[in-house]
Amino acid sequence: MYQTLTTYALVGLRPVRIRVEASIRRGTPMLLIVGLAAGAARECRERIRAAASRTGLRLPGLRITVNLAPADLHKSGASFDLPILVAALAAAGHVSAESLRGVSLLGELGLDGTVRPVRGILAVCLACAGDAEIDTLIVPVANLPEVGPAKGIRAVGADSLSSVVEFLATGSGLSSAPGVGPRRATTSSADLADVQGQAGAKRALEIAAAGGHHLLLLGEPGCGKTMLASRLPGLLPSLTESEAVEVTVAHSVAGLLDPGTGLIAAPPFRAPHHTVTSVGLIGGGSRLNPGEVSLAHRGVLFLDELGEFRPAVLEALRQPLEAGTVRIVRERGAVTLPARFQLVAAMNGCPCGFAASVSGRCVCDPWIVRRYLRRLSGPLLDRIDMTYEVPAHRWRSSSAQAPPASSATVRERVVAARLFTSRRGQDVRNTDLAAADLRIQCRLDDESGSILAEAARRFGLSARACHQVQRVARTIADLAGAQDIRPDDVAEGLAYRRRLGSRPSGSLG
Ligand SMILES: [Zn+2]
C-alpha cells in the first residue's frame, strides 16, 4: 500500500521536482501530510477530505501518510492538493500505479472536488518538457491556455477530481492544450506621435531605448513626463523567444497572465505607485511573489514622483540595477529572480515643481531644492546614465510643425542601432558595457577626449560619470551608424548630465 508520483514546487520562478509518496497502514484512521508547511498541510487536509467525499472516492479508514520530498525544501501553497490526493487514492488502490507512469500533475482542490487554477503553470510545463521521465502533465483546465508555448509535453486540463481519476483509468476525458496563442502585440497603444512638440525629450527617449540607458526626467507638473515615459516600451525591439518565455513565466508565477494569451512578446511596462513597499518592489512575501522589478524584467520600470518613494525602497533597487537579478533571502535559503529592467524615473526639479521653468515661477530657496534632491540616494542616481529636463510644453499651431514621428518609425531606428552595436562586435547593450571594455568599444579620438576631459575638470565629473557619458555617446554614434564616436556625440552625451540641485544655467556636471 505504497505509491509515488511527481509534481512540482516553485522556488522563485524555478520549478523543482517533488516526489509525493503515500503509504497506508493499519492504525488510528488519520491523514498525515509531511513535508508541507504546517498551515498549508492543515488546510490541504481539509480540502482533500471534502473533495474526496464529495466525489464518492472514500479514503480508507486507516492511517495514511503522505510525504513530499525533498523535505528540506520549504513548500506551501495549494497546488499540492491534487497530487497528494491522487497519491493517497493510488495507495488505496483507486488509481493504478501503471496509469501514473510518466504523468505529473498539480492543482488546487475546491471542497466540491473541482480543480482550481494555480500560479506558474508555464514554468512547470517548460520543466516537464525537459524531463525525460514525464510525458503528460495534468493541470487545472483554467490554466490550460497558459501552456500553449511549451513544446514537447502533452498537457491536459482537468476541471474536477473525478475527471482526473477517469483520465488515469481510461486515458481520455481531459481536454488538450490549444495551439500556441497569438503572440501579444504591444503592451499599450500609446504612440509617440500623440506627444506634441518635445523634440528634445523624444530624442532622449530614442537614445535611452537604443542603448538601454536608465533615464531621469525632470520637469514641472503637467509637462508630460508620464506621457513620455509610457512611450518607451513602444520604442524597444520586440522580445526574442527566450526573453518572451522569461517574461511570461514571471507573469505566470505572479498570477498576472491573462487567460488565452500566448507568450508576452512586447517589453513589459510597470509603473508602481510611490507608496509601494520593498516587498512589492523587489519581491518576497509568504508566497514569494515576484516584485515589480521582476515583472519589469526585459522591459521598463517607471517610477513617477521619484522623490516621494521611501528611501529604503529606493535603496532596494541598487542590487537589481547592478546585477540584473534580485536575491531574496528567506528563512530557508535565498532565491534569485530575474530583474534586468530599464529604469525611467520622473520627478519635479524642486518642491514647488517649477525649478526648470523659464518663467521664473520657482519660489524655492536653493538650499531647500538641494535638500529635496539629496533625499534621493547617491548610489541610485549613480546608475542613471541620462537626465533630461522636460520643458513645459507651449502650444503651437500644429500646421507649423512637421508631423511627429510615430513609435514604429523610432523603433526601426532603435533596432537598426542595436544591430549596428552587435555588428561592431559588442554583444551587450551600451549601458551594460563594463568599464574595462570602454577603452575598446568607446574609444575617443583626441578632440572628443579633450572635450570630455575639459568638462570633467570644469564640472568635477567623477570617473563613473565620464564612463556614462562615453556609453551614451557610443549610443548616439550607433544611432548615426558611425563606427567611431565623434566630438558632437560626446557633447550631446554631456548634455544629459545635470547635477541635481544646480540651476539650469549651470546645468552640466
Ligand atoms: Zn521650486
Side-chain angles (χ1 to χ4, degrees):
M1 304 269 255
Y2 170 85
Q3 281 303 332
T4 69
L5 55 79
T6 301
T7 186
Y8 285 83
L10 282 174
V11 177
L13 304 189
R14 190 171 57 89
V16 176
R17 193 171 160 173
I18 301 291
R19 185 178 160 91
V20 183
E21 305 170 308
S23 98
I24 297 182
R25 56 191 171 89
R26 292 190 188 286
T28 318
M30 65 185 302
L31 173 60
L32 191 67
I33 298 171
V34 189
L36 201 55
R42 201 166 41 242
E43 291 171 13
C44 173
R45 205 159 46 222
E46 295 310 314
R47 284 192 299 268
I48 281 177
R49 280 188 202 286
S53 70
R54 275 298 294 263
T55 319
L57 292 159
R58 280 176 55 93
L59 286 169
L62 297 165
R63 183 183 170 90
I64 306 171
T65 308
V66 179
N67 179 42
L68 275 63
D72 60 350
L73 182 80
H74 180 77
K75 298 178 274 316
S76 61
S79 70
F80 302 109
D81 290 359
L82 184 61
I84 286 173
L85 180 50
V86 170
L89 289 171
H94 289 301
V95 171
S96 77
E98 183 58 36
S99 69
L100 289 170
R101 193 155 298 157
V103 173
S104 181
L105 67 172
L106 72 170
E108 176 179 342
L109 286 172
L111 299 181
D112 57 354
T114 54
V115 177
R116 295 190 174 153
V118 296
R119 303 183 307 158
I121 286 289
L122 176 59
V124 172
C125 251
L126 293 167
C128 284
D131 189 329
E133 288 175 31
I134 306 289
D135 52 47
T136 303
L137 177 66
I138 302 175
V139 303
V141 72
N143 288 122
L144 207 51
E146 259 184 64
V147 311
K151 300 181 187 87
I153 180 80
R154 176 190 182 209
V156 289
D159 59 359
S160 68
L161 173 64
S162 42
S163 69
V164 172
V165 173
E166 190 201 326
F167 175 79
L168 290 171
T170 66
S172 64
L174 296 186
S175 47
S176 291
V180 178
R183 303 225 320 169
R184 224 185 284 181
T186 49
T187 38
S188 105
S189 56
D191 198 287
L192 203 59
D194 307 334
V195 182
Q196 290 294 313
Q198 298 292 15
K202 290 176 180 177
R203 169 75 175 161
L205 276 183
E206 182 171 339
I207 295 167
H213 302 289
H214 303 308
L215 172 68
L216 173 63
L217 297 172
L218 292 173
E220 61 185 69
C223 70
K225 301 187 290 283
T226 306
M227 197 173 175
L228 286 160
S230 63
R231 264 76 182 165
L232 180 58
L235 310 185
L236 298 173
S238 291
L239 302 177
T240 64
E241 177 110 17
S242 65
E243 289 171 344
V245 167
E246 292 170 10
V247 171
T248 311
V249 164
H251 283 72
S252 160
V253 170
L256 294 176
L257 213 53
D258 298 330
T261 49
L263 289 180
I264 299 174
F269 179 76
R270 302 293 302 182
H273 189 255
H274 62 72
T275 53
V276 70
T277 61
S278 293
V279 167
L281 193 63
I282 68 160
S286 58
R287 296 181 63 179
L288 191 56
N289 273 314
E292 293 290 341
V293 295
S294 294
L295 295 170
H297 178 60
R298 305 283 180 200
V300 175
L301 180 70
F302 176 49
L303 302 183
D304 199 6
E305 305 194 47
L306 186 66
E308 302 295 322
F309 284 77
R310 279 188 286 272
V313 170
L314 294 182
E315 189 62 26
L317 281 175
R318 224 169 123 169
Q319 190 214 355
L321 282 172
E322 194 78 47
T325 56
V326 61
R327 195 175 143 82
I328 300 166
V329 180
R330 325 200 72 210
E331 218 173 286
R332 301 194 186 198
V335 171
T336 301
L337 301 180
R340 188 167 299 283
F341 56 85
Q342 187 171 359
L343 177 67
V344 180
M347 65 186 294
N348 300 333
C350 68
C352 85
F354 294 104
S357 168
V358 286
S359 59
R361 284 160 74 192
C362 177
V363 294
C364 307
D365 266 336
W367 74 271
I368 290 179
V369 175
R370 279 196 294 275
R371 196 183 57 179
Y372 168 78
L373 295 167
R374 275 195 194 135
R375 284 193 54 205
L376 298 180
S377 95
L380 173 66
L381 293 178
D382 276 351
R383 305 275 170 270
I384 293 177
D385 290 341
M386 301 172 64
T387 302
Y388 183 79
E389 272 182 49
V390 184
H393 179 58
R394 280 174 297 282
W395 188 85
R396 263 181 264 146
S397 163
S398 54
S399 61
Q401 300 171 36
S406 70
S407 292
T409 306
V410 177
R411 187 168 57 239
E412 271 173 36
R413 298 201 290 255
V414 167
V415 169
R418 295 263 185 117
L419 201 62
F420 188 82
T421 305
S422 63
R423 288 213 182 112
R424 280 195 291 105
Q426 182 187 314
D427 55 5
V428 296
R429 300 176 305 175
N430 290 331
T431 191
D432 298 323
L433 269 176
D437 295 331
L438 292 179
R439 208 181 285 276
I440 304 154
Q441 303 293 359
C442 302
R443 212 177 54 77
L444 299 180
D445 63 16
D446 289 348
E447 191 184 351
S448 303
S450 61
I451 291 173
L452 185 56
E454 171 64 12
R457 191 187 58 76
R458 271 184 64 194
F459 305 110
L461 295 187
S462 64
R464 180 194 278 274
C466 288
H467 290 164
Q468 284 171 325
V469 172
Q470 276 180 273
R471 292 187 186 99
V472 174
R474 182 63 265 175
T475 302
I476 295 166
D478 285 350
L479 273 165
Q483 197 66 37
D484 297 313
I485 296 175
R486 302 153 302 175
D488 283 354
D489 303 332
V490 175
E492 190 178 355
L494 279 164
Y496 297 114
R497 292 223 63 82
R498 176 181 187 276
R499 173 165 287 171
L500 292 171
S502 65
R503 287 287 163 180
S505 54
S507 70
L508 274 177

